Amino acid sequence: MTPSPYDAPPDHRPQREPLGRPVRRRTLLRLGALGGTGLALGPLAACAGPTGAPGPGTLTLGLNRSLVSLDNKLNQFDAAVTVQRAVRQALTSIGPGMRVQPVLADRFAMTGPTVWSVRLREGVRYSDGSPVTVEDVATALEMYGKVNGSFLLGLFPELPTVEKTGERTFELHTERPVPVLDRLMANIHITPAAANRPEELQSGVGSGPYKVIEANSGAGEYTLARNPRYWGRPARVDTVRVRFVPEESSRVIALRSGELDVVDTLTPDSAEQLTGLPGVTVEETSGVRICQLFYNFRKRHDHPLADARVRRALTYAIDGEALVKDVLTGSAEAAEGVVPLALEGAVRTGAYTYDPGKAKAQLKRLGAEGLRIRVIWESGEFAADSSVMEAVADMFRDIGVRASLLQFEPGGDILKWRQGRGGDWDVIGNGFPGTTGQALTSLQGMYGGTPERERTRDTYMGYVIPDIQRRLEDAATETDAAARDRKLAAAQHAVWNTWPSLWAFAPKTLLARRERVHDLGLLQLNSYDLSAVRLEG
């Protein structure tokens, strides 16, 4: 039975299923990194994952989260982007240096304050030989707009409408200026109009360099083959196998043995084990993802967590320095803003301070003593997630707050809980990617919620604050870059003052590959162009 958020053992120890006996913070922080890698676990054969080494023309990827669909309307964690965009493509993409690159479009230009002129490349086709059409683009935008619970929808100040102007040309129209629409459209994957639906598609063709020949979405396993009808440069690897291997220790073992070629989202502890090993290379880049312990903004108005002063008081309980150093083992930096500072337009807004005495005093003054907090997250949301949550629960215990932990397995019901449809919770461990390289779009996606979007549960954890939304909308539609930056900076400080997160951090991006894998250009988005990868040996 799932523990209630308002039940806790008499000794206030954090409760969770199925981890068993919790440990004290000092012990946990000393062992946190090992807990993240699980080195005492059994071999890969006992876990979900590949068996047998890949063939000479096969690239095998070991993902830390289950890829439940190759459609991205609802499911787009970092490593998923690599695979999804190898099958389905967008008009544009975000490439090296966070620059916009053309993909299905060979022209994408702002020709008026609210108008963008677009031209499809000549000869772009899907893997079944049918052409990519303007109607497909219009239908894709319509389907993304109708699906419930998509974080992508929140990135757009408004979805554009399509006006066809020729066989391959069209205009995108918005009511107000959207200066970064070329970046936003990199997230809208195009599929044949007749097969598109306002849901996460489980099948269908794409225009990418690979096509799907086997799929088991329940297990997160796929086999891709080179698309012989691809309109662009052919993929350099014949076959790609995608496997879900949840335990980091199993991914490390499989990489070392040659059963996996590439593994993502490593902790520094695992990276250290792999560094210097013959046949293995570790790659690192700064990331544009923010990981948060985000508050539930759907609480009734008289709930303690509806008060920003209570939310701020709880932040003083979190020893962020210890979490970064001893649990995340230096693989992240504590957030100093409401989006990662690596994003263009991001500003420093403040820092999280550890002061448990102040936390207790402020909670007492606010009449919020003895809180009971339910913390939820999905396995694999970030490296060492379970260890972080155990430590946070123990830190809560030190200030008299009772915590219960509820961990969801990949492919479970976490989406319904995020939407407020599954059950009550107080804090969620969640990550938000910087899909466009711009602070503006991440801010829009997390903090630009409206009452209309909340009715369909398309806001970020129920965050609907009209003043913040107006500030962000004003910045998003400002065509003067300098004025937009000023407005955006002011909006970020206003968001910080609402105390949306208990704690937040920006993780570094760590990936390991076999040395037979070449030309894997790891981007700050924690993804890469799968078609550019080649194998030797």
Side-chain angles (χ1 to χ4, degrees), residues 268-352:
D269 185 73
S270 291
E272 185 178 353
Q273 296 176 49
L274 293 169
T275 299
L277 285 179
V280 174
T281 297
V282 175
E283 299 193 16
E284 176 182 327
T285 185
S286 58
V288 291
R289 183 180 185 86
I290 190 166
C291 293
Q292 307 150 309
L293 304 184
F294 205 88
Y295 288 113
N296 185 353
F297 277 80
R298 295 190 175 98
K299 295 295 186 181
R300 62 184 186 271
H301 73 277
D302 59 344
H303 191 282
L305 290 182
D307 187 338
R309 297 172 300 172
V310 174
R311 296 196 296 270
R312 181 178 186 177
L314 288 170
T315 68
Y316 292 117
I318 306 305
D319 188 349
E321 182 179 351
L323 289 174
V324 168
K325 179 181 177 182
D326 298 319
V327 179
L328 296 168
T329 55
S331 65
E333 296 177 350
E336 296 181 277
V338 291
V339 292
L341 297 179
L343 293 173
E344 184 176 339
V347 298
R348 287 181 170 82
T349 54
Y352 293 96

Side-chain angles (χ1 to χ4, degrees), residues 125-128 206-211 225-231 235:
R125 293 183 175 274
Y126 297 107
S127 60
D128 64 357
S207 62
Y210 285 96
K211 62 179 183 178
R226 184 190 286 118
N227 175 10
R229 291 192 173 100
Y230 184 49
W231 55 268

Side-chain angles (χ1 to χ4, degrees), residues 460-519:
Y460 191 68
M461 318 306 170
Y463 189 100
V464 179
I465 299 180
D467 175 64
I468 300 295
Q469 188 273 329
R470 285 192 294 270
R471 287 171 179 262
L472 291 173
E473 183 179 33
D474 188 32
T477 55
E478 175 59 67
T479 56
D480 180 83
R484 183 167 63 245
D485 286 345
R486 289 193 297 271
K487 292 178 178 181
L488 198 60
Q492 289 172 75
H493 283 283
V495 170
W496 178 267
N497 290 335
T498 67
W499 295 99
S501 297
L502 173 69
W503 187 63
F505 62 95
K508 298 176 183 177
T509 296
L510 287 169
L511 173 149
R513 60 176 174 82
R514 301 289 300 176
E515 288 188 352
R516 79 184 196 117
V517 179
H518 295 266
D519 297 338

Side-chain angles (χ1 to χ4, degrees), residues 376-406:
I376 69 171
W377 78 99
E378 183 180 75
S379 298
E381 187 66 41
F382 47 82
D385 50 15
S386 297
S387 297
V388 168
M389 298 311 189
E390 292 279 6
V392 166
D394 217 14
M395 291 170 190
F396 271 155
R397 179 178 181 269
D398 289 345
I399 65 164
V401 171
R402 306 176 184 185
S404 62
L405 306 181
L406 181 57

Side-chain angles (χ1 to χ4, degrees), residues 33-43 46-47 247-250 253 269 273:
L34 291 178
T37 58
L39 294 178
L41 298 176
C47 307
E247 295 295 342
E248 184 169 10
S249 61
S250 298
I253 292 169
D269 185 73
Q273 296 176 49

Side-chain angles (χ1 to χ4, degrees), residues 106-339:
D106 64 6
R107 186 178 71 201
F108 200 114
M110 192 176 190
T111 52
T114 60
V115 181
W116 293 73
S117 295
V118 186
R119 183 177 66 190
L120 293 174
R121 289 183 186 273
E122 187 172 5
V124 289
R125 293 183 175 274
Y126 297 107
S127 60
D128 64 357
S130 62
V132 177
T133 68
V134 174
E135 289 75 17
D136 296 341
V137 177
T139 299
L141 281 164
E142 181 185 358
M143 297 302 104
Y144 277 83
K146 288 182 177 180
V147 71
N148 288 337
S150 172
F151 86 93
L152 290 173
L153 186 60
L155 300 178
F156 287 78
E158 59 179 283
L159 283 175
T161 58
V162 175
E163 179 185 358
K164 187 174 181 178
T165 58
E167 190 64 28
R168 293 166 40 221
T169 59
F170 59 96
E171 291 180 341
L172 294 173
H173 294 268
T174 55
E175 292 185 5
R176 300 182 64 182
V178 182
V180 295
L181 188 60
D182 54 344
R183 292 177 174 272
L184 289 167
M185 290 301 293
N187 295 286
I188 303 297
H189 294 182
I190 312 303
T191 200
N196 214 337
R197 300 287 184 274
E199 61 192 38
E200 199 166 55
L201 302 177
Q202 296 300 317
S203 61
V205 301
S207 62
Y210 285 96
K211 62 179 183 178
V212 183
I213 58 174
E214 292 182 12
N216 183 345
S217 59
E221 298 189 356
Y222 301 85
T223 301
L224 313 181
R226 184 190 286 118
N227 175 10
R229 291 192 173 100
Y230 184 49
W231 55 268
R233 185 184 66 185
R236 303 168 79 181
V237 174
D238 295 334
T239 307
V240 177
R241 297 197 314 175
V242 181
R243 299 291 181 260
F244 168 46
V245 187
E247 295 295 342
E248 184 169 10
S249 61
S250 298
R251 294 198 305 278
V252 169
I253 292 169
L255 186 76
R256 294 178 65 169
S257 69
E259 294 179 42
L260 293 176
D261 288 307
V262 183
V263 296
D264 69 293
T265 318
L266 289 172
T267 61
D269 185 73
S270 291
E272 185 178 353
Q273 296 176 49
L274 293 169
T275 299
L277 285 179
V280 174
T281 297
V282 175
E283 299 193 16
E284 176 182 327
T285 185
S286 58
V288 291
R289 183 180 185 86
I290 190 166
C291 293
Q292 307 150 309
L293 304 184
F294 205 88
Y295 288 113
N296 185 353
F297 277 80
R298 295 190 175 98
K299 295 295 186 181
R300 62 184 186 271
H301 73 277
D302 59 344
H303 191 282
L305 290 182
D307 187 338
R309 297 172 300 172
V310 174
R311 296 196 296 270
R312 181 178 186 177
L314 288 170
T315 68
Y316 292 117
I318 306 305
D319 188 349
E321 182 179 351
L323 289 174
V324 168
K325 179 181 177 182
D326 298 319
V327 179
L328 296 168
T329 55
S331 65
E333 296 177 350
E336 296 181 277
V338 291
V339 292

Side-chain angles (χ1 to χ4, degrees), residues 38-62:
L39 294 178
L41 298 176
L44 181 65
C47 307
T51 55
T58 299
L59 174 74
T60 302
L61 313 180

